[in-house]
Structure formats: structure tokens, C-alpha cells
Amino acid sequence: MAIYTRFGDKGKTALHTGKTVSKGSVRVEAYGNLDELNSFLGVVLAQLKDKRIRKEILEIQNDLFEIGASLAGPGEKEHQKLAKKLKIRVLEFEKEIDALTKKLPKLKNFILPGGKVGSLLHYARTVARRAERRTVALAEKEAVLSEVLVYLNRLSDLLFMFARIINYQEKQKEIIWSKG
């Protein structure tokens, strides 16, 4: 498989359906943000020692590839299989978030990103939020699985909790945001 095809040299790309679109389209922007998030999670993994969270992030990376493929190939039948999977994943995320919440000190204030790996997870959370915003923008114009939007929303919550638990494990004090 050739790495370069010259097809995109004029700012166009092909979706899985074969349709040619601008690289600046909302759809390409949406799945491009998922790709960026996936890549940044690789940066997180390079620093992360917690085996349980590593395993979950690897699974998230696979999820993001499937979601990206669904955005790049709108209208395909296998998307219904993905919708079922994402519903299950969201429930798993919520269970994990609830379990981590019980282990951590109660959050009474906004906190600032901090800690070595914690701040990387906070950054991944913000990339996830951007990916969500771009996917919402796409969903306002074209069909997108609603489960994708729910997944991305819950994913950013999970990444926030991963940042908190890693900082807690590493005895990194949370920095409370102070107004003014």
C-alpha cells in the first residue's frame, strides 16, 4: 500500500463511500479530531504505568478508530453494530466513573490540570471535548449515530476521572482554581 497517492494534493479526500469531499469539511474535521485524540492517547500511554487504565485506554483507542470509520463512511450497515457496542461502552464508562468517584476525595471546587501524567490526561480530555464539538457540528448537518455523541461526552468525563485518580495515586495535590 502506498503511503502517498497524490489524491489529496488539491485539498480533497475520499470517504469510505467513495464520495469526494473537501479536507476542510465538517465531516473530515470531526474524524480528524478523533484521530488527534487517538494519537494523543498514545502519548499518554507512553507515560502511564497503571496497567488497568492502560488497558482501558487501548480499548478506547480501538473504539475511536471504529467511530472515525463510521464518520468517514456514513450510512453503512455495520454502524448499527457499532451503536450497540457504544451503548455498552458508555455503561462501562459510567460504572468506572462511579467506582473512581468513591475512591477519590469529594470534588468541591474546579481544579486546574496538574501532575505529570494527570495533565496529559486533562489535555486528552480537552481534545475529546473538541472532537465532541466537531461531531455535534456534523450531526447538526448530516446523520451521525447518537451513540457516538453520548460516547464522546462520557469519554471526556472518564478521562477527567483518570487524571484525578492518577494524581491521587502519585500523591499529586489537586490545584484548586481560585477566581481573580
mmCIF file of all heavy atoms in Angstrom, residues 104-128:
data_model
loop_
_atom_site.group_PDB
_atom_site.id
_atom_site.type_symbol
_atom_site.label_atom_id
_atom_site.label_comp_id
_atom_site.label_asym_id
_atom_site.label_seq_id
_atom_site.Cartn_x
_atom_site.Cartn_y
_atom_site.Cartn_z
ATOM 1 N N LEU A 104 -11.966 8.635 45.450
ATOM 2 C CA LEU A 104 -11.323 9.951 45.473
ATOM 3 C C LEU A 104 -11.973 10.895 46.474
ATOM 4 O O LEU A 104 -13.159 10.756 46.779
ATOM 5 C CB LEU A 104 -11.402 10.582 44.083
ATOM 6 C CG LEU A 104 -10.539 9.930 43.018
ATOM 7 C CD1 LEU A 104 -10.977 10.368 41.626
ATOM 8 C CD2 LEU A 104 -9.081 10.265 43.249
ATOM 9 N N PRO A 105 -11.196 11.883 46.942
ATOM 10 C CA PRO A 105 -11.811 12.917 47.781
ATOM 11 C C PRO A 105 -12.911 13.626 46.991
ATOM 12 O O PRO A 105 -12.801 13.788 45.776
ATOM 13 C CB PRO A 105 -10.656 13.885 48.070
ATOM 14 C CG PRO A 105 -9.408 13.156 47.719
ATOM 15 C CD PRO A 105 -9.778 12.112 46.721
ATOM 16 N N LYS A 106 -13.960 14.021 47.708
ATOM 17 C CA LYS A 106 -15.078 14.707 47.064
ATOM 18 C C LYS A 106 -14.585 15.999 46.425
ATOM 19 O O LYS A 106 -13.814 16.748 47.015
ATOM 20 C CB LYS A 106 -16.173 15.007 48.087
ATOM 21 C CG LYS A 106 -17.424 15.555 47.475
ATOM 22 C CD LYS A 106 -18.528 15.702 48.507
ATOM 23 C CE LYS A 106 -19.754 16.262 47.829
ATOM 24 N NZ LYS A 106 -20.868 16.389 48.756
ATOM 25 N N LEU A 107 -15.047 16.237 45.218
ATOM 26 C CA LEU A 107 -14.660 17.434 44.479
ATOM 27 C C LEU A 107 -15.618 18.559 44.839
ATOM 28 O O LEU A 107 -16.814 18.457 44.600
ATOM 29 C CB LEU A 107 -14.697 17.136 42.974
ATOM 30 C CG LEU A 107 -14.005 18.107 42.041
ATOM 31 C CD1 LEU A 107 -12.530 18.260 42.393
ATOM 32 C CD2 LEU A 107 -14.130 17.626 40.605
ATOM 33 N N LYS A 108 -15.073 19.638 45.428
ATOM 34 C CA LYS A 108 -15.900 20.760 45.874
ATOM 35 C C LYS A 108 -15.634 22.021 45.073
ATOM 36 O O LYS A 108 -16.368 22.988 45.192
ATOM 37 C CB LYS A 108 -15.637 21.031 47.359
ATOM 38 C CG LYS A 108 -15.977 19.870 48.256
ATOM 39 C CD LYS A 108 -15.590 20.152 49.694
ATOM 40 C CE LYS A 108 -15.834 18.913 50.539
ATOM 41 N NZ LYS A 108 -15.344 19.080 51.898
ATOM 42 N N ASN A 109 -14.575 22.011 44.284
ATOM 43 C CA ASN A 109 -14.174 23.178 43.507
ATOM 44 C C ASN A 109 -13.701 22.729 42.134
ATOM 45 O O ASN A 109 -13.397 21.564 41.926
ATOM 46 C CB ASN A 109 -13.000 23.913 44.185
ATOM 47 C CG ASN A 109 -13.296 24.329 45.591
ATOM 48 O OD1 ASN A 109 -13.163 23.552 46.523
ATOM 49 N ND2 ASN A 109 -13.711 25.576 45.762
ATOM 50 N N PHE A 110 -13.594 23.699 41.220
ATOM 51 C CA PHE A 110 -12.928 23.416 39.959
ATOM 52 C C PHE A 110 -11.447 23.221 40.253
ATOM 53 O O PHE A 110 -10.905 23.851 41.169
ATOM 54 C CB PHE A 110 -13.099 24.575 38.970
ATOM 55 C CG PHE A 110 -14.487 24.694 38.419
ATOM 56 C CD1 PHE A 110 -15.306 25.742 38.790
ATOM 57 C CD2 PHE A 110 -14.975 23.760 37.514
ATOM 58 C CE1 PHE A 110 -16.588 25.870 38.277
ATOM 59 C CE2 PHE A 110 -16.251 23.864 36.997
ATOM 60 C CZ PHE A 110 -17.058 24.920 37.380
ATOM 61 N N ILE A 111 -10.821 22.326 39.496
ATOM 62 C CA ILE A 111 -9.385 22.106 39.679
ATOM 63 C C ILE A 111 -8.654 22.440 38.386
ATOM 64 O O ILE A 111 -9.224 22.368 37.299
ATOM 65 C CB ILE A 111 -9.068 20.656 40.123
ATOM 66 C CG1 ILE A 111 -9.603 19.632 39.107
ATOM 67 C CG2 ILE A 111 -9.591 20.390 41.516
ATOM 68 C CD1 ILE A 111 -9.151 18.215 39.376
ATOM 69 N N LEU A 112 -7.392 22.792 38.543
ATOM 70 C CA LEU A 112 -6.537 23.081 37.401
ATOM 71 C C LEU A 112 -5.795 21.805 37.007
ATOM 72 O O LEU A 112 -5.448 20.996 37.869
ATOM 73 C CB LEU A 112 -5.538 24.182 37.750
ATOM 74 C CG LEU A 112 -6.140 25.521 38.181
ATOM 75 C CD1 LEU A 112 -5.032 26.482 38.588
ATOM 76 C CD2 LEU A 112 -6.988 26.110 37.073
ATOM 77 N N PRO A 113 -5.538 21.619 35.724
ATOM 78 C CA PRO A 113 -4.768 20.446 35.307
ATOM 79 C C PRO A 113 -3.384 20.473 35.961
ATOM 80 O O PRO A 113 -2.759 21.527 36.071
ATOM 81 C CB PRO A 113 -4.658 20.610 33.791
ATOM 82 C CG PRO A 113 -5.822 21.466 33.422
ATOM 83 C CD PRO A 113 -6.003 22.404 34.588
ATOM 84 N N GLY A 114 -2.948 19.318 36.395
ATOM 85 C CA GLY A 114 -1.636 19.234 37.026
ATOM 86 C C GLY A 114 -1.158 17.796 37.072
ATOM 87 O O GLY A 114 -1.885 16.868 36.729
ATOM 88 N N GLY A 115 0.067 17.636 37.538
ATOM 89 C CA GLY A 115 0.685 16.319 37.610
ATOM 90 C C GLY A 115 1.254 15.932 36.257
ATOM 91 O O GLY A 115 0.811 16.420 35.215
ATOM 92 N N LYS A 116 2.240 15.064 36.267
ATOM 93 C CA LYS A 116 2.903 14.678 35.019
ATOM 94 C C LYS A 116 1.946 13.953 34.070
ATOM 95 O O LYS A 116 1.655 14.442 32.985
ATOM 96 C CB LYS A 116 4.117 13.799 35.332
ATOM 97 C CG LYS A 116 4.919 13.405 34.122
ATOM 98 C CD LYS A 116 6.116 12.567 34.507
ATOM 99 C CE LYS A 116 6.895 12.154 33.273
ATOM 100 N NZ LYS A 116 8.034 11.313 33.614
ATOM 101 N N VAL A 117 1.440 12.820 34.473
ATOM 102 C CA VAL A 117 0.520 12.060 33.632
ATOM 103 C C VAL A 117 -0.890 12.637 33.742
ATOM 104 O O VAL A 117 -1.633 12.645 32.766
ATOM 105 C CB VAL A 117 0.549 10.559 33.993
ATOM 106 C CG1 VAL A 117 -0.447 9.774 33.160
ATOM 107 C CG2 VAL A 117 1.953 10.000 33.799
ATOM 108 N N GLY A 118 -1.239 13.151 34.905
ATOM 109 C CA GLY A 118 -2.556 13.748 35.104
ATOM 110 C C GLY A 118 -2.821 14.879 34.123
ATOM 111 O O GLY A 118 -3.905 14.973 33.542
ATOM 112 N N SER A 119 -1.826 15.743 33.920
ATOM 113 C CA SER A 119 -2.033 16.859 32.996
ATOM 114 C C SER A 119 -2.153 16.365 31.551
ATOM 115 O O SER A 119 -2.887 16.950 30.751
ATOM 116 C CB SER A 119 -0.927 17.908 33.125
ATOM 117 O OG SER A 119 0.333 17.347 32.862
ATOM 118 N N LEU A 120 -1.481 15.272 31.216
ATOM 119 C CA LEU A 120 -1.644 14.688 29.880
ATOM 120 C C LEU A 120 -3.078 14.174 29.697
ATOM 121 O O LEU A 120 -3.680 14.344 28.637
ATOM 122 C CB LEU A 120 -0.650 13.539 29.661
ATOM 123 C CG LEU A 120 0.827 13.903 29.569
ATOM 124 C CD1 LEU A 120 1.679 12.636 29.479
ATOM 125 C CD2 LEU A 120 1.095 14.815 28.393
ATOM 126 N N LEU A 121 -3.618 13.559 30.737
ATOM 127 C CA LEU A 121 -4.997 13.073 30.673
ATOM 128 C C LEU A 121 -5.980 14.236 30.602
ATOM 129 O O LEU A 121 -6.992 14.153 29.906
ATOM 130 C CB LEU A 121 -5.290 12.158 31.859
ATOM 131 C CG LEU A 121 -4.673 10.767 31.731
ATOM 132 C CD1 LEU A 121 -4.547 10.086 33.082
ATOM 133 C CD2 LEU A 121 -5.476 9.919 30.765
ATOM 134 N N HIS A 122 -5.692 15.321 31.313
ATOM 135 C CA HIS A 122 -6.545 16.508 31.208
ATOM 136 C C HIS A 122 -6.503 17.056 29.777
ATOM 137 O O HIS A 122 -7.530 17.466 29.235
ATOM 138 C CB HIS A 122 -6.101 17.598 32.192
ATOM 139 C CG HIS A 122 -6.634 17.418 33.571
ATOM 140 N ND1 HIS A 122 -7.964 17.573 33.875
ATOM 141 C CD2 HIS A 122 -6.006 17.111 34.734
ATOM 142 C CE1 HIS A 122 -8.145 17.365 35.174
ATOM 143 N NE2 HIS A 122 -6.971 17.085 35.707
ATOM 144 N N TYR A 123 -5.333 17.066 29.185
ATOM 145 C CA TYR A 123 -5.220 17.546 27.809
ATOM 146 C C TYR A 123 -6.016 16.630 26.863
ATOM 147 O O TYR A 123 -6.739 17.110 25.986
ATOM 148 C CB TYR A 123 -3.762 17.647 27.372
ATOM 149 C CG TYR A 123 -3.622 18.303 26.026
ATOM 150 C CD1 TYR A 123 -3.731 19.675 25.890
ATOM 151 C CD2 TYR A 123 -3.420 17.549 24.881
ATOM 152 C CE1 TYR A 123 -3.627 20.284 24.650
ATOM 153 C CE2 TYR A 123 -3.319 18.149 23.636
ATOM 154 C CZ TYR A 123 -3.420 19.515 23.528
ATOM 155 O OH TYR A 123 -3.335 20.105 22.296
ATOM 156 N N ALA A 124 -5.891 15.322 27.071
ATOM 157 C CA ALA A 124 -6.667 14.369 26.263
ATOM 158 C C ALA A 124 -8.162 14.644 26.433
ATOM 159 O O ALA A 124 -8.928 14.575 25.461
ATOM 160 C CB ALA A 124 -6.334 12.936 26.665
ATOM 161 N N ARG A 125 -8.584 14.992 27.646
ATOM 162 C CA ARG A 125 -9.989 15.329 27.898
ATOM 163 C C ARG A 125 -10.421 16.519 27.051
ATOM 164 O O ARG A 125 -11.504 16.515 26.464
ATOM 165 C CB ARG A 125 -10.193 15.646 29.389
ATOM 166 C CG ARG A 125 -11.564 16.184 29.736
ATOM 167 C CD ARG A 125 -11.640 16.652 31.190
ATOM 168 N NE ARG A 125 -10.649 17.648 31.552
ATOM 169 C CZ ARG A 125 -10.738 18.947 31.267
ATOM 170 N NH1 ARG A 125 -11.768 19.414 30.599
ATOM 171 N NH2 ARG A 125 -9.793 19.779 31.655
ATOM 172 N N THR A 126 -9.558 17.540 26.944
ATOM 173 C CA THR A 126 -9.940 18.717 26.153
ATOM 174 C C THR A 126 -9.983 18.392 24.659
ATOM 175 O O THR A 126 -10.823 18.931 23.944
ATOM 176 C CB THR A 126 -8.996 19.913 26.407
ATOM 177 O OG1 THR A 126 -7.683 19.624 25.925
ATOM 178 C CG2 THR A 126 -8.953 20.281 27.884
ATOM 179 N N VAL A 127 -9.112 17.510 24.201
ATOM 180 C CA VAL A 127 -9.150 17.085 22.798
ATOM 181 C C VAL A 127 -10.433 16.281 22.557
ATOM 182 O O VAL A 127 -11.076 16.424 21.514
ATOM 183 C CB VAL A 127 -7.885 16.299 22.406
ATOM 184 C CG1 VAL A 127 -7.981 15.780 20.977
ATOM 185 C CG2 VAL A 127 -6.633 17.166 22.568
ATOM 186 N N ALA A 128 -10.821 15.466 23.541
ATOM 187 C CA ALA A 128 -12.073 14.710 23.426
ATOM 188 C C ALA A 128 -13.264 15.665 23.343
ATOM 189 O O ALA A 128 -14.192 15.446 22.554
ATOM 190 C CB ALA A 128 -12.238 13.760 24.610
#
